[in-house]
Amino acid sequence: MKKNLSGQIEALLFVTGDDGLNFSQLQFLTGTSAEQIEQALMELKNLYDQQAHGIMLKELAGVYQLVTKPELAETIQKLVENPSVQSLSQASLEVLAIVAYKQPITRVELEDLRGVKSEKALATLAGKGLIKECGRAEGTGRAILYGTTVEFLNYFGLKNLEELPPLPEELADEADEETDLFMTKFQEAFKEEVNA
């Protein structure tokens, strides 16, 4: 048996989260036989069943997942219902603000605005129910469009998106001035090239 196959499967199932993996995917990703996968899955199941772990291995429609144990539902519910425990990072707040004002927006458009990757923040916000997939963009690849949820409105005490505070006018004016300055310098440089 491949060394620490149970650990490999555990890591793969942890990373895939709710999507889980089926038997053939586990075989492909670990490069092991069906018998070895069966044995490793049994070891994991026994480990979680015998010890005081908060998670367990579950098979649903041929897909294996790591899930929380049902007896811990009350504890998890407290976390879900207590927003103070779930404070948002600066990156998540930035992403949420951009999605709120620019929705529907793709991840690529969002990252162009921020200048950094935003996958983790999007996943965090989706996990907290503040944003959701709200369609697909037209064109190649049909990128996922993101928008806010009813939970977002409830969280911030808004009746609708029209109640979002307006963006400061000065920021928009500064952006226009920077663009004008760039265009002026570009045109001056272009004229110098032509006259030379």
Side-chain angles (χ1 to χ4, degrees), residues 124-161:
T124 299
L125 294 168
K128 292 180 186 288
L130 297 173
I131 64 168
K132 65 178 180 179
E133 294 180 14
C134 61
R136 296 279 182 162
E138 294 298 320
T140 309
R142 300 201 24 93
I144 296 168
L145 291 168
Y146 293 95
T148 55
T149 63
V150 173
E151 183 60 32
F152 165 82
L153 296 174
N154 291 339
Y155 190 87
F156 290 98
L158 304 170
K159 290 181 188 168
N160 53 45
L161 291 174

Side-chain angles (χ1 to χ4, degrees), residues 66-131:
L66 292 178
V67 298
T68 55
K69 290 185 175 176
E71 58 265 24
L72 300 174
E74 189 176 314
T75 304
I76 294 166
Q77 189 65 29
K78 288 178 187 175
L79 173 67
V80 172
E81 292 174 351
N82 187 355
S84 64
V85 176
Q86 300 180 335
S87 61
L88 296 173
S89 68
Q90 183 64 35
S92 294
L93 286 172
E94 286 175 13
V95 169
L96 185 58
I98 292 170
V99 171
Y101 283 97
K102 299 281 188 181
Q103 64 186 306
I105 187 170
T106 66
R107 180 181 54 82
V108 172
E109 293 168 333
L110 182 93
E111 289 174 351
D112 283 345
L113 287 170
R114 289 190 69 223
V116 293
K117 293 215 174 270
S118 301
E119 292 171 7
K120 185 176 178 187
L122 284 169
T124 299
L125 294 168
K128 292 180 186 288
L130 297 173
I131 64 168

